[in-house]
Amino acid sequence: MKHLLFTVLMLPLFWGCTKNVSGTEFFPEITRESRPWTRWWWMGSAVDSAGITRSLEAMSRAGIGGVEITPIYGVKGQEDRYIDYLSPRWMRMLAFTESEAERLGMGVDMNSGTGWPFGSPETGVDDAASRLVFVDGRPEVGRTGQRVKRAAPGGEGFVVDHFDRGAVRRYLERFDRAFADNGVAFPHGFFNDSYEVYGADWTASLPDEFERRRGYRIQDHFAELTADGATDTSARVIADYRETVADMLRDNFTQVWIDWAHGHGATVRNQAHGSPANLLDLYAMVDIPECESFGITDFDIPGLRRDSIRRTNDSDPSVLKYASSAAHVAGKKYTSAETFTWLTEHFRTSLSQCKPELDLMFASGVNRVFFHGSAYSPHDAPWPGWKFYASVDMSPTNTIWRDAPAFFDYIARVQAFLQSGASDGDFLLYLPIYDIWHEQRGDFYLSFSIHDMRRRLPEFCGAADRIMACGYDADYISDRLLAECSVENGLLVTGGGARYRALILPSVKRLPLETLEQIDRLARQGATVIFAGRYPADVPGLFRLEERREAFAATMSRLRAEPTVALTDTAVGGSLLPAAFNPYRESFVADFGGNLIRRRHDGGHLYFAVMLKNCRIDSWVTLGTKAESALFCDPLTGKTGKARLRNRNGATEIYMQLQPGQSLLLKTFTAGNVSAEEWTYYRPTGKRTTLDTGWTMHFIDSEPAVHESFSLPAPVSWTELDNDTLKRNMGTALYATTFDFAKETGREYRLHLGDVRESAVVSVNGKNAGTLFAVPFEMNIGNLLRDGKNTLEVAVTNLPANRIADYDRRGVEWRIFHEINFVDINYRNTRFDAWDPLPSGLTGTVAIEELAVDGSD
């Protein structure tokens, strides 16, 4: 351990330095890629040029950077408007979309199919997804019969055999013909949704590929393949089968699709989850690996609305990091996310619920958001318009659209920041895929859905959780990606150029001989290798087992003697990481429980930090990197300033003030003194003015219309007032009050709106103060207040939940969609007529708090 300590502490910490820096260059340029994009469902592809223009212009005005076109099933009664997928008319609509998007400075991607997964009317039985069947005891190739889910007109048909290279190429030829015959330019990029090919465990060429890749005939071991690991030989055959299927999906589908798209000048964005492959390998192959959120996280943030109808998020950081890890290790600029899938029940999603979920994704390495999503809806469609069944509904027909531009601006600032620089993780965490392939029982075919990742990999996820909780960041690495690593100055350097302090193998039991030999080479070159819990003791697979075991034992014996190799404890209370790494821990995470992601730029580091629990920070926070100066930025407002910084006992500390639910951007510089205005720190003086009298309220927008004005003793949910329409309307109400106020020289004043349902635009004395859409609902307004009479106006917009519940109570038929139509969050055909009215408007105490600038007295 003495040698390991020396190696770790000698690792270089910084890359480059900056002598003279300016705070005015905090942000990179906001581009269409740094703005949020949205999945744009074309229902029945029943689109027209006027509707496309209107929709894209609305998105552009709101701050959307681009769209991904995914055609799906259509709307009942609109069949005469349907356009068959890839038909000449459909291609004209695509071309028009591309030209309009270019005019508006937006981008266009498209799904490489309709619905999901890939399949078409041209996919014949011979090219369809296959499975292994036994007829009179003889193995044969059967067909799953699966058809494309949620298919659009012209996209119906069998799902293609993803393991058959020829079938995949024939599927893509349909696109070649459509684009060539119609003279339409290929889009910016192509997208592939999560792998949901059910029951497809075989293909005709699998026996030959198995023998070529694994060295023996699978035909001789069908008994072991179907014995569910009853013996060691059975488990090894199953593991070899699973590795072969993974290889075939990578080579025969993913690589073929990538080569095809790149050949047409398009990028590819892929959701690997759900597939039977090593997800890291598939994610690392593509231009943009994409994860997804599914459900809502139970954040302990005071004031955050917790809906009674909810679905727990399956994508915690340990799951989200598969995509971002692959991007970092492979040197990809972007990690995207399908964002807000089933975040809440329909019509009940607020921007305040979106922000913390998104912040968690940012802290997990995501830097490109694709909303899930927006449905094309024609101008003549009555409210609520055309809707997709699993959508957060980022569209102009949703009331949250009114204040969404402020949210979109927040996203653009954060993403521009996180798309700059390069990743800066601490460790590489080896994914023990061979243990999983060897040990998981139930069927010889094994896939990796986001819904069961933690169940399938409990020890691995536990190790990732512990590393992050200790204040470090780890990116996952596969055998294939590890084979591309080298060592420079004691640091592990991946094929994509990312640098790491050590490789951690979490309780790994089986390791391919080739991987162990690569680890041995890296260790002999000075890389730090940590075996957490145990040393691996065996090789996977069946071919030449004893020969490989003998070589494995010899290599393992040599490796354990290397001075940079250590064995650590993984038991509860044990130390997963050597103490030598303590100087690099981020106390914002380890001591305060925050979430952050760190990147590096030429002169220092970039931090995104967010507090997603009930912890208020007003103290010095120790960084895991060193700096001479630093800048803060509030990504909600774009305000920047020079952070208070000190270096003590060899560590850099930043003074930070952060409320639960808030986030900050931090840019540090390893040399030189940044030139910028000082960041302003505040402390309460104890004076607080409650605005609890003299309020009025009237609607500036409401459906159904409300013309009455209301006098209120204090702000209250408009659903509590004696007016039946207010229990079923959606819209925006203007709360206003006039009050006397006396300002103190040198003081700031912070407005607290309390409980806002759901977002608010604030004006003080007729001047716009900004938009509040997330906890904490507060802003500084000192520059807008004056001595004497003041007027505060708060335009609050509610959710459409009360309106849609009223529709169901009155029997309005708005569920007009084919196929799955409009299920609820639990995939049931549920009506919303039983919903109680959701609170709407200002529902808490509004107050103005006096603040002293820290150090003023």
Side-chain angles (χ1 to χ4, degrees):
M1 189 63 71
K2 174 170 60 177
H3 298 288
L4 176 61
L5 174 65
F6 176 80
T7 301
V8 171
L9 294 182
M10 288 299 291
L11 299 182
L13 288 170
F14 310 109
W15 295 265
C17 64
T18 300
K19 298 279 185 194
N20 299 299
V21 292
S22 170
T24 61
E25 299 179 359
F26 190 93
F27 281 114
E29 179 186 2
I30 301 293
T31 66
R32 70 181 189 183
E33 283 76 23
S34 56
R35 296 190 182 280
W37 287 38
T38 190
R39 183 163 303 163
W40 196 18
W41 290 290
W42 283 8
M43 304 198 75
S45 294
V47 300
D48 58 43
S49 57
I52 288 171
T53 296
R54 184 178 58 254
S55 298
L56 290 177
E57 287 180 344
M59 292 180 189
S60 178
R61 286 193 300 270
I64 297 290
V67 295
E68 169 223 302
I69 299 170
T70 295
I72 55 168
Y73 54 85
V75 177
K76 296 175 182 177
Q78 302 294 323
E79 289 80 3
D80 60 338
R81 300 167 72 170
Y82 290 177
I83 305 174
D84 280 349
Y85 184 58
L86 299 184
S87 67
R89 186 180 170 199
W90 196 96
M91 297 302 295
R92 288 196 297 273
M93 291 298 98
L94 173 63
F96 183 78
T97 301
E98 291 173 336
S99 66
E100 284 295 271
E102 184 177 4
R103 176 178 67 85
L104 296 167
M106 300 173 67
V108 176
D109 287 355
M110 65 177 280
N111 196 323
S112 299
T114 78
W116 62 93
F118 289 0
S120 79
E122 296 183 7
T123 302
V125 173
D126 290 342
D127 284 348
S130 304
R131 62 190 180 96
L132 177 64
V133 297
F134 290 89
V135 178
D136 297 328
R138 300 188 311 275
E140 293 185 6
V141 177
R143 304 295 169 180
T144 67
Q146 183 184 355
R147 303 180 73 85
V148 178
K149 292 175 61 176
R150 324 303 183 217
E156 309 93 337
F158 288 123
V159 170
V160 74
D161 184 347
H162 286 59
F163 303 133
D164 184 335
R165 184 187 302 260
V168 174
R169 285 175 171 163
R170 285 185 288 275
Y171 172 79
L172 295 173
E173 287 172 359
R174 185 185 186 209
F175 293 85
D176 293 332
R177 294 193 304 273
F179 280 93
D181 293 349
N182 293 281
V184 176
F186 276 78
H188 167 270
F190 285 97
F191 169 69
N192 178 38
D193 211 333
S194 55
Y195 190 87
E196 299 180 33
V197 184
Y198 303 129
D201 56 24
W202 204 257
T203 191
S205 64
L206 194 147
D208 291 339
E209 295 235 21
F210 186 97
E211 185 172 2
R212 178 171 63 85
R213 297 172 186 270
R214 305 283 86 84
Y216 64 98
R217 285 166 43 87
I218 188 69
Q219 301 94 312
D220 298 335
H221 295 276
F222 279 125
E224 289 86 356
L225 180 67
T226 57
D228 198 25
T231 64
D232 182 65
T233 298
S234 173
R236 290 180 180 277
V237 170
I238 291 171
D240 281 340
Y241 159 84
R242 290 169 173 173
E243 183 178 8
T244 301
V245 167
D247 291 344
M248 294 179 69
L249 182 64
R250 183 189 67 241
D251 297 342
N252 297 349
F253 170 71
T254 308
Q255 191 63 59
V256 171
W257 177 57
I258 292 170
D259 292 343
W260 170 81
H262 286 180
H264 293 293
T267 61
V268 291
R269 180 165 49 89
N270 185 45
Q271 294 184 3
H273 46 273
S275 80
N278 189 323
L279 302 188
L280 297 174
D281 290 338
L282 296 192
Y283 280 135
M285 296 172 68
V286 299
D287 301 299
I288 306 176
E290 180 164 297
C291 56
E292 72 172 283
S293 63
F294 199 100
I296 195 167
T297 304
D298 192 13
F299 297 109
D300 181 22
I301 299 175
L304 179 64
R305 181 164 67 81
R306 190 180 192 278
D307 203 326
S308 59
I309 305 172
R310 58 196 292 112
R311 182 187 186 120
T312 301
N313 189 7
D314 291 321
S315 297
D316 65 13
S318 71
V319 176
L320 294 170
K321 284 181 69 66
Y322 281 88
S324 61
S325 292
H328 296 162
V329 169
K332 311 293 183 179
K333 182 175 182 178
Y334 303 119
T335 301
S336 63
E338 176 189 305
T339 310
F340 307 143
T341 306
W342 284 127
L343 183 68
T344 69
E345 185 57 274
H346 300 293
F347 305 102
R348 298 174 72 98
T349 304
S350 66
L351 297 176
S352 66
Q353 293 167 308
C354 292
K355 181 180 178 294
E357 209 70 57
L358 182 60
D359 286 340
L360 183 66
M361 287 189 280
F362 284 149
S364 302
V366 170
N367 61 7
R368 280 201 69 180
V369 165
F370 283 76
F371 293 135
H372 192 269
S374 309
Y376 174 94
S377 189
H379 185 64
D380 59 356
W383 192 85
W386 296 1
K387 301 296 177 190
F388 182 69
Y389 75 95
S391 167
V392 76
D393 191 20
M394 284 293 183
S395 70
T397 57
N398 192 342
T399 56
I400 66 174
W401 189 261
R402 185 185 188 100
D403 294 334
F407 181 43
F408 298 165
D409 285 345
Y410 170 79
I411 294 171
R413 293 187 188 104
V414 174
Q415 293 195 153
F417 190 71
L418 293 180
Q419 289 169 8
S420 64
S423 64
D424 190 48
D426 296 298
F427 305 116
L428 287 171
L429 184 64
Y430 173 77
L431 178 65
I433 191 69
Y434 289 92
D435 285 348
I436 302 164
W437 282 337
H438 189 93
E439 296 173 0
Q440 291 287 316
R441 303 276 70 89
D443 187 4
F444 55 82
Y445 178 83
L446 181 68
S447 62
F448 297 95
S449 163
I450 62 170
H451 307 299
D452 58 13
M453 294 297 287
R454 293 194 70 89
R455 177 180 62 83
R456 293 206 186 281
L457 298 90
E459 288 186 333
F460 176 79
C461 291
D465 291 342
R466 291 180 64 184
I467 291 169
M468 288 186 280
C470 288
Y472 306 102
D473 192 19
D475 284 326
Y476 310 159
I477 194 164
S478 68
D479 299 80
R480 184 175 294 270
L481 296 173
L482 186 59
E484 300 174 357
C485 289
S486 59
V487 180
E488 294 180 12
N489 300 319
L491 293 173
L492 284 155
V493 182
T494 67
R499 298 165 179 263
Y500 300 88
R501 301 185 187 282
L503 169 67
I504 302 173
L505 292 91
S507 300
V508 177
K509 302 172 187 175
R510 300 165 195 84
L511 204 61
L513 175 60
E514 298 80 6
T515 300
L516 184 67
E517 290 172 339
Q518 168 67 347
I519 294 172
D520 181 51
R521 284 190 292 270
L522 296 172
R524 284 187 278 116
Q525 295 171 29
T528 300
V529 180
I530 299 169
F531 290 96
R534 63 164 65 90
Y535 289 112
D538 203 354
V539 293
L542 185 63
F543 186 62
R544 293 180 178 174
L545 179 57
E546 295 307 320
E547 177 183 331
R548 289 185 293 118
R549 277 175 166 169
E550 184 178 343
F552 183 93
T555 305
M556 192 73 242
S557 177
R558 182 173 64 247
L559 177 61
R560 291 173 63 169
E562 291 293 333
T564 59
V565 174
L567 177 68
T568 61
D569 187 8
T570 59
V572 175
S575 177
L576 182 68
L577 298 168
F581 291 107
N582 287 348
Y584 312 126
R585 66 195 288 272
E586 297 289 350
S587 70
F588 178 78
V589 178
D591 300 329
F592 297 97
N595 294 79
L596 68 75
I597 187 78
R598 186 183 70 229
R599 296 176 66 82
R600 56 182 171 89
H601 66 94
D602 287 343
H605 291 87
L606 308 168
Y607 287 81
F608 170 80
V610 62
M611 182 53 65
L612 296 174
K613 61 185 294 186
N614 189 7
C615 177
R616 178 179 180 272
I617 297 181
D618 187 3
S619 63
W620 290 98
V621 176
T622 303
L623 301 182
T625 59
K626 292 188 177 178
E628 291 297 322
S629 61
L631 292 170
F632 272 139
C633 175
D634 178 359
L636 280 174
T637 64
K639 172 192 171 186
T640 62
K642 184 178 178 181
R644 191 176 298 171
L645 179 148
R646 70 186 185 188
N647 284 292
R648 349 186 321 171
N649 302 321
T652 296
E653 298 178 349
I654 297 284
Y655 200 87
M656 181 180 290
Q657 292 179 327
L658 200 65
Q659 301 285 342
Q662 287 184 328
S663 55
L664 277 174
L665 303 177
L666 174 68
K667 186 173 186 177
T668 70
F669 302 89
T670 60
N673 192 15
V674 65
S675 173
E677 291 186 10
E678 297 292 324
W679 183 258
T680 307
Y681 296 87
Y682 299 103
R683 57 180 176 81
T685 65
K687 293 181 64 176
R688 188 179 182 94
T689 302
T690 300
L691 305 180
D692 54 3
T693 61
W695 285 85
T696 63
M697 188 269 284
H698 71 274
F699 282 88
I700 58 179
D701 183 35
S702 176
E703 178 58 39
V706 178
H707 302 292
E708 184 179 355
S709 295
F710 302 86
S711 296
L712 309 173
V716 65
S717 168
W718 70 65
T719 59
E720 298 298 316
L721 301 178
D722 187 19
N723 185 313
D724 181 67
T725 302
L726 300 185
K727 294 174 174 54
R728 56 189 177 88
N729 76 322
M730 61 179 184
T732 302
L734 187 68
Y735 289 76
T737 186
T738 299
F739 57 95
D740 290 317
F741 200 81
K743 297 172 64 175
E744 293 285 342
T745 302
R747 295 292 193 254
E748 178 58 271
Y749 295 91
R750 182 164 295 166
L751 175 67
H752 299 265
L753 290 185
D755 187 19
V756 177
R757 299 300 180 96
E758 297 293 336
S759 59
V761 177
V762 179
S763 295
V764 180
N765 295 320
K767 295 183 179 179
N768 188 296
T771 302
L772 295 176
F773 60 84
V775 173
F777 289 97
E778 59 185 43
M779 60 169 54
N780 292 348
I781 59 170
N783 63 321
L784 299 178
L785 290 172
R786 59 194 178 207
D787 291 324
K789 291 288 184 184
N790 289 265
T791 298
L792 173 66
E793 295 176 307
V794 186
V796 185
T797 301
N798 75 339
L799 297 178
N802 296 343
R803 186 63 176 149
I804 205 69
D806 176 63
Y807 268 36
D808 274 1
R809 282 191 288 269
R810 292 190 291 116
V812 176
E813 188 54 62
W814 59 271
R815 294 175 176 85
I816 55 175
F817 315 106
H818 282 296
E819 235 252 27
I820 196 170
N821 205 347
F822 212 79
V823 295
D824 69 6
I825 199 169
N826 295 307
Y827 287 81
R828 297 177 303 207
N829 292 311
T830 302
R831 298 178 63 82
F832 305 143
D833 53 328
W835 287 356
D836 293 328
L838 288 184
S840 301
L842 290 180
T843 67
T845 300
V846 177
I848 299 174
E849 180 183 29
E850 185 179 83
L851 304 172
V853 177
D854 193 22
S856 62
D857 61 26

